[in-house]
Amino acid sequence: MKTAKSPEVASAETPDKRGFYGKFGGRYVPEILLPALDDLNAAFADVRNDASFQQQYQTLLKEYVGRETPLTYAGRLTGHFGKARIYLKREDLCHTGAHKINNAIGQVLLARKMGKTRIIAETGAGQHGVATATVCAHFGMSCIIYMGSEDISRQKLNVDRMRLLGAEVRPVESGAKTLSNAINEAIRDWVSNVDDTFYIIGSAVGPHPYPLMVREFQSVIGTETIDQSLEQEGRLPDYVLACVGGGSNAIGMFYPMLDYQDIRLYGIEAAGEGVQTSRHAATLTGGHPGILHGSLSYLLQTEHGQIAEAHSVSAGLDYPGVGPEHSFLRDTGRVTYTSVTDDQAIEGVRLLSSKEGIIPALETAHAIAYLHELMPRTRSDEFVVINCSGRGDKDMETIAKFIKQP
Amino acid sequence: MSLFITAGYPDPGSTVELVEELEASGADIIELGMPFSDPLADGPTIQYASKVALDQGVNIDSIFEMVRAIRNRSEIPIVLMGYINPVLQYGLQAFFLKASSVGVDGIILPDVPPGEFPEVEALCSDYDIAPVFLVAPNTSEERMRIVDQASRGFVYCVSVTGVTGAREGSEVSLSVGKFIDKVRKNVTQNPILIGFGIRNHQDAMAISGKVDGFIVGSALIDHIRMVYSRPDWIRRTGTFVRHLKYGVKTGSDKSE
């Protein structure tokens, strides 16, 4: 039986001082942004060791977000497959309905500490936008959310939530009008207003130190899961699954577990209409290394290095890049990255809803759907944890369209 | 005066002739933009021109062919400007080798500031392509000296904290005085060219007095966009460029 003894293999410190995870990461940004990134890096280094900051952060996670989130045994889902026991890490129960708020709180606190008065953010599915708008409302700060107009139409509920919370939602009409274009526009805003503006990136992407900050503020997911696994199963999980778009929920879950070599980690990307088609968002499966949004990572791109349009039924995974640390973990082999299609993800929503009474976000449903492939390989004395990164209320219109089809 | 156009805008067939007209009308340096799908340091004008060029199939090989054709007729310095990813996918070594062989003089990669991608700087040196780096109003004096050290050809002085694009009113000249003094003091080994937001001769004169020259991009592309439907659009663009450089005799600063 495994126990949570100290990791046997210490992983190298990532990222290095220049923000590299192996060859991935870096700070490929206009000169104008370098002073801001230097300031951010210094401020972030300060708060990592600042007891009063950490206490304020932990208090908000507990009293405002509602942490810790439960690790729920999924009994009927387990019975359905008849193999390993399945648990769900319930990030869907966080205030605002997804893990995004863990990071939004951390970065808003940092922005306040740095004296920044204007908050901007991008959003895909709207969960990061809602989380940012929520935390800004809590602190009485103004915020502007950039969102692709395609995403605005498929995540209307979240747009209404953001506006109700007092955020200004700015539609982005360029390119595929999704997350990647929203990031471009947010960066342009930041370049133009760098003195007073704090850009809160919601995913584990962007120039250093963003991927590191997002990892740190999301690592509460993996840390709690380790403690809860020990308490509820007496040992660490055998398999851990998380969906990967930019990769914030996955890195938050995986990072604290990386050194426990016996935990098999799976990142599930969005295969859209199939990785063999041009309509998918499975960056680590079908992409090549390149530079976008300030860092080197796997990218969906043409042979000429133009960024390709991603496609996924799930707005939160619909991104042609991925966090640089995921690229690193792919190449080292520590994490297995795989993908499931739109149709499989919809089936995943149906499965979890009907078996457990939990309607997952379309993003999360990708991880659920992978159970069909994973479970036959498991044994009944093992257990699996799925990061249930968000709830599906925001997706009901999209889901209903699919489910009506014969 | 350095002029920026997106290679292949408004159509790939006219870039060589357009460059010839720009030179004849007073351009001293040509910055040829390599279009990218996600130009995150650019405003709407260059975003638009990039998209038009990409939609017509412009890529790095076709840009090298344009440079080769320009070189058959002209010795004007040519600086390629673009984002790093297409260069990376072309192959760094292959890119610099080819650039050097077709007669490219310099390169500006706005998302590669000095020190963040040493291999690129080494290749510039190996293949004798001048690396042009940027300073902005929020760049520290210490950093300006680093940029000066790393650059050759000229240092690109960004007049405003923002993305590229012609700007309204006097936003440019008002913000720029003290900043230029600071750049002058710290950038001593390279000529300084100032750009971003210059619409016309008056703008250019207002901010380039203390530096070695100015750069116009978006305003030129806006002009081309406006006159492109006319058969003599290249000649009209030449007139616009002469006005940029020498002013308009009528005293109006509205060259359109």
Side-chain angles (χ1 to χ4, degrees):
Chain A
M1 184 168 119
K2 271 178 277 180
T3 55
K5 57 182 176 282
S6 294
E8 289 148 28
V9 186
S11 61
E13 185 69 20
T14 55
D16 68 16
K17 277 192 178 132
R18 296 177 53 235
F20 284 95
Y21 307 80
K23 69 172 181 176
F24 300 104
R27 301 197 302 175
Y28 304 99
V29 296
E31 185 71 37
I32 291 177
L33 293 182
L34 284 183
L37 292 174
D38 285 339
D39 289 351
L40 186 59
N41 203 28
F44 178 60
D46 283 350
V47 302
R48 289 178 100 178
N49 305 311
D50 177 342
S52 79
F53 180 94
Q54 292 300 334
Q55 195 193 356
Q56 197 183 4
Y57 176 58
Q58 294 302 334
T59 302
L60 281 163
L61 288 185
K62 179 166 184 273
E63 296 174 5
Y64 190 66
V65 177
R67 300 203 76 92
E68 65 180 27
T69 61
L71 184 67
T72 303
Y73 175 60
R76 290 191 68 230
L77 192 62
T78 299
H80 175 77
F81 290 103
K83 291 284 201 170
R85 288 181 305 288
I86 300 168
Y87 286 84
L88 304 168
K89 177 60 175 167
R90 301 295 304 284
E91 293 300 299
D92 59 311
L93 294 179
C94 287
H95 177 43
T96 70
H99 71 288
K100 292 291 187 187
I101 196 164
N102 302 328
N103 171 57
I105 285 189
Q107 289 200 43
V108 168
L109 286 178
L110 188 55
R112 291 171 63 80
K113 196 160 171 72
M114 293 175 74
K116 303 285 182 180
T117 52
R118 185 171 174 271
I119 299 288
I120 60 170
E122 85 294 337
T123 197
Q127 289 302 127
H128 174 55
V130 167
T132 302
T134 297
V135 180
C136 285
H138 179 76
F139 283 110
M141 298 173 80
S142 73
C143 81
I144 294 164
I145 309 292
Y146 289 93
M147 187 170 188
S149 58
E150 166 70 19
D151 290 339
I152 287 181
S153 65
R154 60 178 164 171
Q155 306 278 216
K156 192 174 175 314
L157 176 69
N158 273 346
V159 176
D160 292 340
R161 290 168 79 194
M162 286 184 268
R163 291 187 171 140
L164 182 63
L165 291 160
E168 179 189 344
V169 180
R170 292 194 182 165
V172 176
E173 302 288 350
S174 57
K177 303 168 188 174
T178 58
L179 178 56
S180 182
N181 316 102
I183 295 178
N184 287 343
E185 213 48 46
I187 291 176
R188 290 185 187 114
D189 179 315
W190 195 29
V191 165
S192 307
N193 300 286
V194 67
D195 288 342
D196 65 345
T197 297
F198 191 104
Y199 176 22
I200 299 189
I201 298 185
S203 199
V205 302
H208 178 65
Y210 278 101
L212 170 64
M213 282 199 306
V214 173
R215 179 182 86 189
E216 180 130 326
F217 290 132
Q218 293 293 2
S219 285
V220 61
I221 303 171
T223 305
E224 285 181 6
T225 301
I226 288 173
D227 291 347
Q228 291 166 321
S229 295
L230 292 174
E231 197 178 307
Q232 292 169 235
E233 280 279 338
R235 62 192 190 86
L236 295 173
D238 301 282
Y239 304 89
V240 174
L241 276 53
C243 63
V244 177
S248 66
N249 90 82
I251 204 68
M253 177 61 102
F254 295 164
Y255 181 71
M257 300 178 175
L258 288 178
D259 288 338
Y260 299 103
Q261 298 289 334
D262 290 339
I263 307 179
R264 276 157 282 189
L265 304 172
Y266 291 85
I268 323 298
E269 296 191 297
E273 295 173 7
V275 284
Q276 75 287 355
T277 72
S278 63
R279 291 179 54 76
H280 68 85
T283 312
L284 291 164
T285 313
H288 303 283
I291 292 172
L292 177 67
H293 298 144
S295 60
L296 177 72
S297 196
Y298 278 82
L299 281 182
L300 299 178
Q301 55 186 319
T302 69
E303 57 171 323
H304 298 297
Q306 307 298 336
I307 307 308
E309 287 178 7
H311 167 79
S312 170
V313 66
S314 135
L317 304 184
D318 199 348
Y319 179 60
V322 65
E325 191 161 14
H326 287 294
S327 291
F328 175 67
L329 294 170
R330 170 199 188 277
D331 282 8
T332 63
R334 177 64 189 93
V335 179
T336 303
Y337 293 91
T338 179
S339 61
V340 307
T341 63
D342 287 351
D343 290 342
Q344 292 172 309
I346 295 286
E347 198 44 50
V349 171
R350 206 199 300 254
L351 180 67
L352 192 66
S353 304
S354 64
K355 294 295 178 195
E356 296 295 336
I358 296 169
I359 301 173
L362 277 170
E363 292 78 15
T364 307
H366 286 72
I368 308 289
Y370 186 66
L371 290 173
H372 287 288
E373 199 175 320
L374 177 73
M375 294 311 289
R377 306 201 299 265
T378 66
R379 297 192 316 262
S380 55
D381 61 345
E382 295 180 318
F383 78 102
V384 178
V385 174
I386 301 170
N387 193 13
C388 192
S389 54
R391 69 177 188 225
D393 309 43
K394 69 185 175 62
D395 296 315
M396 280 318 299
E397 264 183 62
T398 308
I399 293 167
K401 266 185 225 156
F402 272 81
I403 286 178
K404 266 185 221 143
Q405 289 172 2
Chain B
M1 176 176 71
S2 178
L3 296 179
F4 172 95
I5 53 167
T6 299
Y9 178 82
D11 66 84
S14 59
T15 297
V16 175
E17 194 186 338
L18 178 60
V19 167
E20 223 173 4
E21 178 71 20
L22 299 180
E23 182 180 12
S25 306
D28 302 299
I29 299 172
I30 297 294
E31 292 171 26
L32 215 44
M34 301 182 285
F36 181 49
S37 54
D38 292 65
L40 49 77
D42 286 301
T45 298
I46 293 175
Q47 290 176 44
Y48 166 79
S50 302
K51 184 169 189 321
V52 169
L54 288 175
D55 287 349
Q56 296 180 84
V58 170
N59 59 45
I60 286 179
D61 270 324
S62 63
I63 294 168
F64 283 146
E65 286 316 307
M66 292 173 198
V67 175
R68 196 195 297 276
I70 295 165
R71 270 291 162 267
N72 286 335
R73 316 186 198 184
S74 161
E75 286 305 308
I76 190 165
I78 297 174
V79 178
L80 296 183
M81 182 166 185
Y83 296 82
I84 184 65
N85 195 54
V87 174
L88 201 58
Q89 302 313 317
Y90 193 89
L92 284 181
Q93 181 106 21
F95 177 87
F96 281 94
L97 176 66
K98 190 81 186 279
S100 168
S101 77
V102 299
V104 170
D105 299 285
I107 187 157
I108 308 172
L109 298 165
D111 53 353
V112 180
E116 301 295 331
F117 202 159
E119 197 183 346
V120 166
E121 291 174 63
L123 285 165
C124 283
S125 162
D126 291 350
Y127 289 95
D128 198 25
I129 302 285
V132 174
F133 292 107
L134 298 86
V135 294
N138 64 342
T139 306
S140 71
E141 297 196 43
E142 184 195 357
R143 180 75 185 169
M144 286 177 183
R145 292 192 289 275
I146 292 171
V147 169
D148 190 27
Q149 272 312 320
S151 297
R152 286 198 300 122
F154 63 93
V155 164
Y156 193 136
C157 176
V158 175
S159 65
V160 291
T161 309
V163 296
T164 60
R167 281 172 172 72
E168 288 305 308
S170 54
E171 187 189 337
V172 171
S173 50
L174 282 181
S175 62
V176 92
K178 275 188 184 163
F179 164 52
I180 288 178
D181 292 340
K182 210 165 73 170
V183 178
R184 228 359 349 151
K185 195 176 112 202
N186 293 286
V187 174
T188 55
Q189 301 177 18
N190 288 285
I192 300 163
L193 300 193
I194 192 163
F196 278 38
I198 299 173
R199 291 166 305 166
N200 51 41
H201 181 70
Q202 201 177 37
D203 284 352
M205 291 305 107
I207 66 168
S208 68
K210 289 184 187 167
V211 295
D212 303 294
F214 62 92
I215 303 165
V216 177
S218 296
L220 175 59
I221 288 169
D222 284 340
H223 176 84
I224 294 171
R225 189 175 180 179
M226 199 173 61
V227 298
Y228 183 54
S229 60
R230 298 169 183 254
D232 61 343
W233 68 272
I234 290 184
R235 190 186 59 75
R236 284 171 175 271
T237 301
T239 305
F240 174 78
V241 168
R242 279 190 294 279
H243 288 171
L244 267 179
K245 187 157 181 176
Y246 305 109
V248 182
K249 293 282 187 306
T250 61
S252 162
D253 68 0
K254 290 208 169 92
S255 51
E256 287 91 30

